[in-house]
Amino acid sequence: ADGAVSDAEYRSAIDSVAACIQAAGWQASTPQPAADRVRLTIGVSPKDTADPTEEEAQIDAALATHDQCFTKDTTRIEAMYLAQHVPTRAAREQMLTELLVCLDHAGIPGVAGHASEQQIVAEITRHGGDTANAGFGCLDRFHLAFNQPQSPA
């Protein structure tokens, strides 16, 4: 490995996660671009059932399968890929401004511009319900605002 992860290598790693999920008997969507337009995401669907309790258990099991299929190697590949897509300081500042506007529109006003990602998560969580769902949508869309360049080890 040369320390760089190509688009094709990243896509192949995520495709292998989807194949693993399907091999375990779950439905997995074709990997799609995430809200940040850098990462790829996979939707996992439980088996059809009319019983809400069984459906909740299946969702938990499907998500556990996703986590098992998203191996340490895939996590490493994704981290390397994201590190190659660190936005410039100016772009991160613009994303943070857009995140704060998005949160305000979602019903989570007054988040400080210097707040950390963890502080923003806590503030979103505090609101709960649909407001929190909208807030986490904002955070997912602009999460690269927190993607800092890595210092050489």
Side-chain angles (χ1 to χ4, degrees):
D2 59 8
V5 177
S6 70
D7 291 347
E9 289 168 324
Y10 175 59
R11 177 64 188 233
S12 177
I14 300 302
D15 283 344
S16 71
V17 173
C20 173
I21 292 167
Q22 291 168 343
W26 301 100
Q27 295 177 15
S29 69
T30 301
Q32 299 293 318
D36 62 27
R37 296 178 299 281
V38 175
R39 293 173 297 146
L40 294 172
T41 62
I42 301 167
V44 181
S45 303
K47 299 169 179 87
D48 290 331
T49 180
D51 179 358
T53 304
E54 184 180 331
E55 181 178 19
E56 189 172 321
Q58 284 193 25
I59 289 170
D60 290 344
L63 292 175
T65 299
H66 172 274
D67 291 347
Q68 290 167 356
C69 291
F70 210 94
T71 65
K72 287 182 183 177
D73 192 46
T74 306
T75 300
R76 182 186 57 77
I77 290 169
E78 184 171 68
M80 290 172 60
Y81 185 77
L82 290 177
Q84 294 168 198
H85 293 85
V86 174
T88 64
R89 180 183 189 100
R92 287 194 315 273
E93 288 172 0
Q94 178 63 36
M95 286 179 202
L96 185 55
T97 299
E98 291 175 25
L99 169 61
L100 298 177
V101 169
C102 184
L103 290 172
D104 189 56
H105 288 143
I108 306 170
V111 176
H114 61 275
S116 70
E117 186 173 14
Q118 292 79 14
Q119 290 168 325
I120 292 173
V121 166
E123 185 64 19
I124 292 170
T125 302
R126 189 178 69 74
H127 282 78
D130 290 342
T131 300
N133 288 338
F136 282 118
C138 293
L139 191 59
D140 191 43
R141 191 166 150 214
F142 296 109
H143 87 95
L144 289 179
F146 301 99
N147 195 1
Q148 298 287 329
Q150 299 297 312
S151 301

